[in-house]
Amino acid sequence: NIRYADSGHCVRMNMWKVITLVLCFGLVCAQESTDITLQGPTYVTPVPSGNVFIDEPFDSDDALESSWTQSQATKDGVDSDIAKYNGNWAVEGLAENALPGDLGLVLKGKAKHHAIAASLDTVYKFEGKPFIMQYEVNFQTGIECGGAYVKLLTHSDGLDLSDFRDKTPYTIMFGPDKCGEDYKLHFIFRHKNPKTGEIEEKHANKPTTDFKSYYTDKASHLYTLVINPDNSFQVLIDQTVINSGNLLTDFTPPVVPPKEIEDKDDKKPEDWDER
C-alpha cells in the first residue's frame, strides 16, 4: 500500500489503483489548462540513403504527371471490350485510419487492366552488390482477383513506357497476387540460357508460411525482395522472412537442371526380347 496526497487529502490504496488515479488527475489538468494541445502522429516523408535507383513516396498530387507514364496499350488475346489498359490511378490517402500527408498510389477501376511505369535514374546492373526492391501494399477494399506486383523491365533502347503491357520483357517480377482462394507472392526472373540463348521464366518455390492474412486484414504491409551476389535470396513481409533460397536451385524450372532427366524420346527397341 502507498499513500497519495493531493489538495490536503490523503488516499490509501493498492499500487494498481494509483495508475487510474494519476490518469484521472492528468485529464483534469489538461482540460483546465490552455497551454496543452493534444496532437496525433505526424507523417514525415521517408528519405532514402545509400545507392538508390528509384524512390517514390507519392507524397504529392502531381507525382503521377511528373514521373509516371500510364499505359495506353491493349492486351493481346483478350476481348476488345476489356483488352485496353484503361484502369485509372489516383494519389490519395487511406480510406480508413488515414494519416494526414501520407498518400499512396490507388487503383480506381474495378475489373480493368492497370499498368503504370517510371524510368530508373540509371540502368541497374547486377554486379557484385545486393539488390533490394521493396514497396508497401494495402488491399483497403479487399481483393477478389488481381495482382499488385512490380516488374523491373529489361533495358532496351526502344522501350516505350506508354506501351507497357503483359508481354513487355522484364527481368524481375515481384509482389502479391490473388484469384479466388489462390494466394501467391510472386518472385519470378527471366533467365537467358548461356548455351542456347533461350529465355525462360523461373518461378520461386512457393513459401511454406501461411500469408493469407496479409491479403484480408486491410492493413498496410511492406514487401521486400533481397538478392545477394552469392545467388541467395530472401522474401520478407514487414521485415519477417517468409521465403528464402538459391537462384540456381530453388526455382521451377531450376536454373541448374538435375543430373539425370527422363528422355521423352526414348523408345523400346524393335528387337527387344521380352523374356
Side-chain angles (χ1 to χ4, degrees), residues 67 69-72 116-119 153 159-164:
S67 304
T69 301
Q70 184 165 341
S71 175
Q72 305 296 320
I116 195 167
S119 297
L153 300 182
L159 183 61
D160 181 5
L161 297 185
S162 65
D163 195 43
F164 175 37

Side-chain angles (χ1 to χ4, degrees), residues 189 205 230-233 244-251 255-256:
F189 69 91
N205 296 337
D230 63 357
N231 288 325
S232 64
F233 75 91
S244 62
N246 188 282
L247 297 179
L248 302 181
T249 56
D250 296 309
F251 283 75
V255 174
V256 178

Side-chain angles (χ1 to χ4, degrees), residues 191-199:
H191 175 257
K192 184 176 181 179
N193 189 304
K195 289 188 176 182
T196 66
E198 180 183 359
I199 296 177

